[in-house]
Amino acid sequence: MNRRDFVKGLAAAGAVSGVAVGGAASGAAAIGPGVGAGTDRGADGHKPASLLTQDDIVVDGLFAGAMRLSHLREMQEGGAHCGVAGGPSDMASFAALLRFFDEYADEVVLAKSVAEIRAAHARGLVSNVFCWQSATVLGDAFNSPLGTAATSLRAFYEVGLRQVGLCYNVANAFGSGCLEPEGPLTRAGHRLVEEMHSLGIILDVGGHTGERTTLDAIAISDGVPVICSHTNIAAIADNYRCVSDRVIDAIAGTGGVIGITAVNDFHVRGRGNTGPTPHVGIEEHVDQYDYIRNRVGVDHVGMGTDFVGGMAIPYGGGINAEIITTDMVSEPWRFIRGFESIAELPNVIDGLRRRGWTDEEVRKAMGANWLRVYQQVWGG
């Protein structure tokens, strides 16, 4: 099987398993901190700033789907070094994903520790951390009155699972999603949070997880940093997917990080708004970073783009309109102007610097904050 056929096959598998791989691209872009070919000018027409220093590691706290060739190329172009992305919930599909890493072993690695992220960077490679956006795949094992509470979580940890969200928009055995924000963390959810902490898996709440479930989970996470990998600010846009000041404060109180998405709707589309959404740009995006920095400090903000690449997610063909209503996301699904793929990352850094962010503050928001939390939770 040639490289293109392999990627097409994995993309087809992703439609069933949740692994999404983009189409093949010709030619490999150089990996490193330089500005990519597609980012010669920022959204305002100015040349973007270069990406930090050679030693800094730029981390995307979550992009949608699984690592795929199209996204890898965009990371290389934009100067992003590590990205957290979804992986399968069954071993056969995971084996297929591993074949992708084998195929591109000279460009990308699956990392299980901060040491491996740093080692990949030193070799000029991109690293990918494996996550689940929802724990629903664990099924009812945590909640059965018969048998034991044993689950497959430990097995997936051993093959690289390092970050798990509790719920994805709606309720499951562990708690409630963002569309049902008042539902509590369940007994099963309590046990799951405890097991995640004991294994050294990062707890990812807020965003897709409902507010009360989120706050309940944080309340039993004493001494462990908790994150929200990809969300936006409810005080700016009262969208179901955005987090309140209560959640921001609680996550920061654990020493955790809130990742900012590039999803246009989450910047400007509030509850009840079913009309057209204005297409905003870098300045509105930087407002989100400023909000976190001003409220709880720069140590608690990061990038979590939620980029979907070429993944199709229209209503009736990827989004269930009976569950996710049109005041949450509109069609076409868009990202902000000037940051519509990770290849345009220099525009964001340029925007932060125009706001007066220091080099140290930019370095923290672009990756150092994530690496600090990873080190604290994963150890080693």
Side-chain angles (χ1 to χ4, degrees):
M1 177 181 292
N2 63 35
R3 180 175 293 189
R4 184 178 296 272
D5 289 341
F6 166 79
V7 175
K8 286 182 178 178
L10 192 53
V16 176
S17 68
V19 181
V21 179
S26 59
I31 302 173
V35 176
T39 54
D40 290 338
R41 297 286 168 186
D44 60 358
H46 294 95
K47 187 176 179 64
S50 62
L51 287 185
L52 310 177
T53 73
Q54 191 70 36
D55 295 329
D56 290 321
I57 299 176
V58 175
V59 180
D60 185 350
L62 188 137
F63 63 90
M67 178 57 80
R68 49 203 180 267
L69 185 57
S70 60
H71 194 81
L72 173 60
R73 294 287 179 260
E74 289 166 352
M75 290 180 71
Q76 293 166 334
E77 183 178 349
H81 308 113
C82 175
V84 180
S89 57
D90 67 274
M91 288 301 173
S93 298
F94 191 74
L97 181 60
L98 291 177
R99 289 198 294 274
F100 175 82
F101 288 101
D102 290 343
E103 182 78 4
Y104 297 97
D106 58 343
E107 300 182 64
V108 61
V109 299
L110 181 65
K112 302 178 183 179
S113 67
V114 173
E116 290 181 1
I117 293 170
R118 295 192 186 282
H121 181 60
R123 295 171 56 204
L125 306 181
V126 169
S127 54
N128 176 210
V129 175
F130 164 30
C131 79
W132 284 338
Q133 291 197 47
S134 168
T136 302
V137 296
L138 295 174
D140 293 328
F142 273 89
N143 213 29
S144 174
L146 303 176
T148 71
T151 73
S152 59
L153 187 61
R154 168 68 187 279
F156 279 97
Y157 172 82
E158 295 296 339
V159 297
L161 181 63
R162 290 295 181 270
Q163 180 174 302
V164 174
L166 292 182
C167 309
Y168 193 91
N169 296 349
V170 296
N172 61 16
F174 309 113
S176 292
C178 63
L179 293 171
E180 302 153 314
E182 298 305 318
L185 186 74
T186 65
R187 290 167 61 89
H190 193 291
R191 293 194 299 274
L192 174 58
V193 169
E194 290 180 337
E195 181 169 354
M196 287 173 60
H197 290 331
S198 69
L199 287 172
I201 293 173
I202 291 172
L203 174 61
D204 184 4
V205 292
H208 288 296
T209 300
E211 180 162 306
R212 183 176 171 191
T213 293
T214 290
L215 296 175
D216 287 349
I218 290 172
I220 62 170
S221 298
D222 185 43
V224 181
V226 175
I227 70 165
C228 182
S229 62
H230 60 302
T231 191
N232 293 90
I233 311 303
I236 296 175
D238 186 27
N239 193 293
Y240 293 100
R241 275 281 283 107
C242 296
V243 290
S244 69
D245 289 349
R246 289 184 296 276
V247 170
I248 292 168
D249 294 347
I251 289 174
T254 72
V257 175
I258 298 100
I260 302 299
T261 86
V263 178
N264 187 72
D265 280 340
F266 302 163
H267 289 67
V268 289
R269 193 175 186 84
R271 302 182 193 192
N273 178 5
T274 58
T277 305
H279 197 190
V280 300
I282 293 295
E283 293 306 311
E284 289 83 359
H285 186 58
V286 174
D287 286 344
Q288 307 268 322
Y289 284 85
D290 271 345
Y291 189 92
I292 299 292
R293 182 183 66 160
N294 293 338
R295 184 168 183 88
V296 293
V298 72
D299 290 337
H300 305 292
V301 64
M303 174 173 61
T305 64
D306 207 16
F307 282 134
V308 300
M311 295 166 60
I313 50 172
Y315 284 100
I319 294 179
N320 181 351
E322 298 301 317
I323 299 289
I324 300 179
T325 58
T326 56
D327 61 344
M328 179 194 239
V329 290
S330 60
E331 294 183 299
W333 182 283
R334 294 193 294 188
F335 295 91
I336 63 158
R337 283 194 323 274
F339 195 34
E340 296 178 73
S341 83
I342 198 69
E344 295 183 304
L345 176 60
N347 293 336
V348 177
I349 293 174
D350 195 49
L352 292 171
R353 286 178 168 156
R354 286 198 305 275
R355 292 286 179 92
W357 285 49
T358 66
D359 287 348
E360 178 65 10
E361 288 175 324
V362 173
R363 185 185 70 83
K364 287 183 175 183
M366 290 293 103
N369 287 339
W370 287 128
L371 293 174
R372 169 182 55 81
V373 169
Y374 300 165
Q375 185 73 46
Q376 286 179 259
V377 178
W378 301 341

